[in-house]
């Protein structure tokens, strides 16, 4: 059974640029949730995708967007990067209906300069 | 809106001691889940223990147990016989059953186990 993977591990971008982060869900899982974890804080929910449709969104601006593919892998896109977007981005996969069993990936550390 | 509060930013105990991490939450929901997650320096969030709100019995996983007080909206984690590998950030989290099943996390408690 393959666990949740994320790429890249680390990323440095300049303010105003765009970034795409990727997540491969655990085998058999059809739901992916994305979280932003600022330094020293708990993770905050960005959005969730279930069977390629957005299934809930947290308090993040529209420049945070996502996508889920037929194989249930997912992308998080952030446009017009701001310094405050610097954070650890975590994705978690689960099986729809059993979303209380969320398995996290190792995260992508994004630094915006 | 649901909120989760962890009032202990840092804790430190000696190896083999017992330690209790505190968590309170606020919700108007009657059915929900509560979790404790561990995040070691490797950053990967690992599920320690889960409690269903409708279950009166406190969850237990080996050395980890919880004290779930639904009326008080309290959910503490007890680690018995602590080990050096327990050193990590610990996050309490809440999830509703209805709607998007998102996790709402507390601010975390940094736990250090000293040899």
């Amino acid at each position: 059974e393959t666990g949740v993977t994320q790429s890249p591990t680390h990323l440095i971008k300049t303010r105003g640029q765009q970034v795409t982060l990727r997540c491969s869900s655990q085998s058999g899982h059809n739901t992916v949730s994305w979280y932003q974890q600022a330094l020293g804080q708990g993770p905050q929910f960005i959005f969730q995708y279930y069977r390629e449709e957005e299934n809930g969104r947290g308090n993040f601006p529209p420049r945070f967007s996502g996508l889920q593919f037929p194989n249930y892998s997912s992308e998080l896109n952030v446009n017009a990067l701001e310094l405050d977007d610097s954070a650890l981005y975590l994705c978690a996969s689960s099986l729809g209906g059993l979303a209380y069993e969320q398995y996290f990936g190792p995260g992508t550390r994004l630094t915006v300069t | 809106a649901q909120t989760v509060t962890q009032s202990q930013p840092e804790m430190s105990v000696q190896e083999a001691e017992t330690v209790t991490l505190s968590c309170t939450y606020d919700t108007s929901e009657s059915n929900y889940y509560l979790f404790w997650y561990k995040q070691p320096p490797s950053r990967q969030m690992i599920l320690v223990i889960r409690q269903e709100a409708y279950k009166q019995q406190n969850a237990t996983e080996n050395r980890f147990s919880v004290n779930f007080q639904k009326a008080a909206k309290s959910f503490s984690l007890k680690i018995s016989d602590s080990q050096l590998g327990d050193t990590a950030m610990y996050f309490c989290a809440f999830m509703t059953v209805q709607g998007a099943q998102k996790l709402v996390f507390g601010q975390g408690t940094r736990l250090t186990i000293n040899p």
Side-chain angles (χ1 to χ4, degrees), chain A residues 19-59:
Chain A
V19 68
T20 297
L21 310 182
R22 294 177 175 84
C23 172
S24 292
S25 58
Q26 185 164 309
S27 178
H29 286 182
N30 56 15
T31 304
V32 173
S33 304
W34 285 92
Y35 296 84
Q36 180 196 65
Q37 186 178 17
L39 194 63
Q41 305 290 318
Q44 287 195 304
F45 176 74
I46 303 175
F47 43 57
Q48 182 181 89
Y49 279 84
Y50 170 63
R51 292 185 176 179
E52 303 178 59
E53 297 287 332
E54 188 177 288
N55 185 42
R57 187 179 182 91
N59 189 25

Side-chain angles (χ1 to χ4, degrees), chain B residues 7-105:
Chain B
S7 59
Q8 304 152 312
E10 293 189 29
M11 293 190 74
S12 178
V13 298
Q14 296 299 118
E15 194 176 7
E17 288 184 344
T18 294
V19 59
T20 299
L21 308 184
S22 301
C23 172
T24 58
Y25 60 95
D26 188 26
T27 183
S28 57
E29 302 284 336
S30 59
N31 199 12
Y32 48 87
Y33 297 98
L34 292 163
F35 308 83
W36 278 98
Y37 278 89
K38 169 185 177 181
Q39 188 177 40
S42 66
R43 309 179 323 200
Q44 186 131 16
M45 200 72 76
I46 301 165
L47 177 64
V48 174
I49 200 164
R50 180 181 72 235
Q51 174 79 43
E52 291 88 344
Y54 66 87
K55 289 186 177 179
Q56 292 186 333
Q57 187 172 6
N58 289 323
T60 301
E61 287 287 344
N62 301 313
R63 298 183 294 109
F64 300 87
S65 61
V66 298
N67 183 4
F68 173 48
Q69 301 290 328
K70 191 171 184 179
K73 296 181 181 175
S74 170
F75 183 62
S76 61
L77 173 70
K78 186 172 82 171
I79 305 174
S80 303
D81 186 27
S82 57
Q83 300 174 0
L84 297 179
D86 295 334
T87 293
M89 283 292 292
Y90 285 81
F91 292 96
C92 178
F94 172 100
M95 177 189 286
T96 59
V97 173
Q98 301 298 325
Q101 292 169 315
K102 63 179 184 179
L103 288 162
V104 177
F105 288 88

